[in-house]
Amino acid sequence: NTRLRTEVAAGDMLYKVFPKKVADMLKAGRKVEPETHNNVTVFFSDIVRFTDISRALSPVKVCQMLDRLYLAFDALANKHEVFKVETIGDAWVGVTNLEGNQSATHVKRIAEFAVEAVAAANNIMIDEDDPAAGTLHIRVGFHSGPVVSNVIGSLNPRYALFGDTMNTASRMESLSTSDRIQCTETSARILKEQAPDFPRRRRGKVAVKGKGNMVTYWVGSLLTHEKSPKGRKGGFDDKKMI
């Protein structure tokens, strides 16, 4: 009957929003307690010059653009088994190894996901009614370390991750540049173990707020990253210099 179908659909939705173990507990009506995850990799991305784009487009077109981008990211997340934590405006946040079953691949999965996410963004039109507006560019950053997860609130409960690993991953993104992927030395070292041939290059020391100078790495194909931003399609390239 209709009520049964609704209950089944609601149960299925839990598994799209929460990790399986958490969804099982919520479905059973049990309280979810904070859980420590000792070694995860956290991914952050945001859209280059999003404020300028939002100013140029109507709110409806901004929503449609974000939907196109996030549908592409969600498909890639399924492919690489990256858990989508949340989206905040133009930021997309994901994580690997929450369940501890990706210990040998968690950085490799994020690195592969990140490279494909940058490529996917470059194929998303800013405004489908105005091809001259060009396509999207994103900044990406990731870091590996411990986090604590919990379900916050009871009205529209939110699954959230906490800890310095989150802050550091976010800093890697904000200090990255257009169409580039930056990670910490910690993640780069693990990536070398999990995928020795994956392209990466030492960026050097970068001043990170609250952290001082940190050695960071560029990840992904250096050939595409070394192109000058001048002349890129769309005119929304990042001008930030580090």
Side-chain angles (χ1 to χ4, degrees), residues 2-241:
T2 302
R3 180 179 177 182
L4 179 59
R5 288 197 299 270
T6 301
E7 290 177 351
V8 170
D12 290 343
M13 182 57 68
L14 282 176
Y15 292 94
K16 293 183 179 181
V17 178
F18 301 99
K20 183 180 183 305
K21 181 165 65 174
V22 174
D24 287 341
M25 295 177 69
L26 292 173
K27 195 172 182 180
R30 296 163 56 196
K31 179 176 174 54
V32 178
E33 299 292 342
E35 181 179 3
T36 298
H37 309 266
N38 290 319
N39 196 18
V40 304
T41 298
V42 178
F43 166 105
F44 274 79
S45 72
D46 77 351
I47 297 173
V48 173
R49 304 292 292 274
F50 179 69
T51 301
D52 292 343
I53 295 172
S54 298
R55 189 180 298 119
L57 300 180
S58 70
V60 170
K61 284 186 177 291
V62 172
C63 290
Q64 292 170 338
M65 177 192 73
L66 289 175
D67 188 51
R68 292 193 295 274
L69 179 66
Y70 293 158
L71 284 173
F73 281 11
D74 292 351
L76 291 174
N78 285 331
K79 173 183 175 182
H80 294 285
E81 296 184 321
V82 174
F83 179 78
K84 176 182 177 180
V85 179
E86 61 182 341
T87 58
I88 311 170
D90 66 316
W92 196 100
V93 185
V95 64
T96 49
N97 204 36
L98 272 182
E99 302 292 338
N101 60 347
Q102 298 173 329
S103 297
T105 60
H106 61 101
V107 179
K108 176 177 179 287
R109 289 176 186 275
I110 287 291
E112 292 172 343
F113 169 77
V115 168
E116 294 187 26
V118 170
N122 289 168
N123 286 321
I124 301 295
M125 295 186 67
I126 292 171
D127 183 353
E128 290 189 319
D129 296 323
D130 181 15
T135 57
L136 290 173
H137 301 278
I138 62 172
R139 280 182 294 265
V140 174
F142 64 85
H143 175 55
S144 306
V147 297
V148 171
S149 66
N150 200 9
V151 175
I152 306 301
S154 57
L155 183 64
N156 296 326
R158 172 175 171 255
Y159 184 76
L161 303 180
F162 301 90
D164 190 59
T165 296
M166 299 297 292
N167 298 330
T168 304
S170 177
R171 297 295 185 199
M172 290 300 100
E173 175 271 307
S174 63
L175 293 170
S176 185
T177 57
S178 182
D179 294 340
R180 299 188 80 164
I181 304 160
Q182 180 176 226
C183 76
T184 58
E185 190 170 28
T186 298
S187 291
R189 185 177 65 251
I190 300 172
L191 180 61
K192 184 178 181 180
E193 296 171 357
Q194 296 183 355
D197 296 327
F198 204 94
R200 61 194 167 278
R201 189 184 70 180
R202 189 179 189 273
R203 180 182 188 181
K205 291 183 178 180
V206 175
V208 179
K209 184 178 180 181
K211 293 286 186 179
N213 291 331
M214 293 183 66
V215 174
T216 69
Y217 283 73
W218 294 124
V219 175
S221 173
L222 299 179
L223 293 177
T224 58
H225 292 161
E226 293 302 327
K227 292 179 181 178
S228 167
K230 294 181 179 180
R232 276 183 180 158
K233 186 179 180 182
F236 288 106
D237 297 298
D238 188 23
K239 304 301 181 185
K240 183 192 296 183
M241 299 299 291

